[in-house]
Amino acid sequence: MRMKNNNKIFYKSEHSDYDEFAANFLYEKFTELQSRQKKVNIALSGGSTPLPILELLKNTNLNWSQFAFFMVDERCVSLSDPQSNYGNISRVFFKNIASQSYSMVEDGADFTDSIIRYSEKLNSELKFNKDIPAFDLILLGMGDDGHTASLFPNTEALLETEKIVVKNRIPALNSERITLTYPLLENAREAIVLIKGKVKCEIMREMYAKKAKHYPMYKLITSSLPMKWIYTE
Ligand code: 6PG
């Protein structure tokens, strides 16, 4: 099912073939990007949804040397920790393709230093749009509380309007994360949101239908960021 709603397009896949559907969709998008420009900068979200999709995508014949991958967010843990987004995506994806990839966390460095260096990397590697670095594509997920990246409800990072990457304390998880902020996310050329499950689909519909402002994802859907949603119940 394909619906257009002020620059937001929706694709519904049957649950059984969601990963293949999403991998094919991303293959088409990446092929379009690699034909359009020499270097393609893409930001990847963590969590579990993207992993089987990236595992399928790595086996395609894309010209991986044209792609540079960055992280949308990260847990404040070492790269070898099972919670590490970069560690998990490296295991299934980065280790198998000839692309440059950038971790938010550097083993051995403290998280504040890692954030400074990651921010410098964004400023040096990305093209700029409206004086802010701009990704060619951002892959986003969404939690059952409507968070995206590591922009969780009622957390400090939601209020950040200047910095492009910050540390964010998540009381609900009793943990700290590193996350890209709204200014950087909204400045991307486009975003693809990958969600599975009834709860997330209900949040997606609620935000578009009833303007449920309390979900952190809501700020992105009401921005000018072109978004495509690939979803299954
Ligand atoms: C993270 C993610 C986060 C994720 C959602 C959905 O570090 O967990 O970046 O924003 O996209 O929590 O996670 P699942 O795909 O595991 O449901």
Side-chain angles (χ1 to χ4, degrees), residues 29-228:
K29 172 53 66 180
F30 285 28
T31 302
E32 173 202 320
L33 289 170
Q34 78 177 22
S35 64
R36 185 177 81 191
Q37 57 204 72
K38 203 160 156 308
K39 179 158 173 272
V40 183
N41 295 310
I42 297 176
L44 301 176
S45 286
S48 57
T49 304
L51 296 176
I53 298 166
L54 295 172
E55 194 145 21
L56 292 170
L57 196 59
K58 76 167 189 289
N59 299 322
T60 60
N61 62 354
L62 288 159
N63 184 11
W64 292 113
S65 61
Q66 282 184 247
F67 293 85
F69 292 96
F70 298 77
M71 297 309 294
V72 166
D73 67 335
E74 186 55 278
R75 290 83 185 278
C76 289
V77 295
S78 76
L79 295 179
S80 57
D81 188 302
Q83 282 292 315
S84 167
N85 285 334
Y86 184 80
N88 288 331
I89 295 177
S90 292
R91 185 170 38 78
V92 302
F93 186 57
F94 295 147
K95 284 206 165 70
N96 300 283
I97 58 173
S99 299
Q100 182 68 48
S101 64
Y102 299 94
S103 171
M104 284 178 154
V105 166
E106 289 173 16
D107 269 343
D110 78 18
F111 296 116
T112 306
D113 286 345
S114 292
I115 289 171
I116 292 168
R117 279 206 276 279
Y118 190 76
S119 187
E120 287 166 354
K121 190 56 80 180
L122 294 173
N123 281 296
S124 63
E125 294 296 321
L126 301 186
K127 296 179 274 303
F128 275 54
N129 172 32
K130 293 179 280 188
D131 299 330
I132 302 178
F135 281 108
D136 298 301
L137 175 65
I138 291 188
L139 296 193
L140 291 173
M142 185 172 70
D144 287 354
D145 56 1
H147 83 261
T148 191
S150 280
L151 300 169
F152 283 76
N154 311 310
T155 59
E156 280 297 297
L158 297 178
L159 308 173
E160 182 57 53
T161 57
E162 297 301 321
K163 296 188 188 110
I164 56 175
V165 51
V166 295
K167 196 191 282 188
N168 196 26
R169 171 120 196 90
I170 321 293
L173 300 177
N174 188 26
S175 70
E176 291 202 312
R177 299 277 187 100
I178 300 171
T179 185
L180 299 182
T181 58
Y182 281 127
L184 190 60
L185 295 173
E186 290 172 2
N187 200 43
R189 288 182 72 147
E190 65 178 305
I192 293 175
V193 190
L194 302 169
I195 60 168
K196 286 162 87 167
K198 286 191 186 325
V199 173
K200 295 181 185 184
C201 291
E202 205 32 57
I203 290 175
M204 174 183 72
R205 292 188 190 96
E206 195 186 337
M207 287 191 294
Y208 282 100
K210 298 183 207 124
K211 320 288 180 216
K213 296 181 174 56
H214 56 289
Y215 296 123
M217 177 64 95
Y218 181 76
K219 190 169 185 311
L220 291 184
I221 71 167
T222 51
S223 73
S224 58
L225 172 66
M227 295 170 88
K228 292 185 177 70

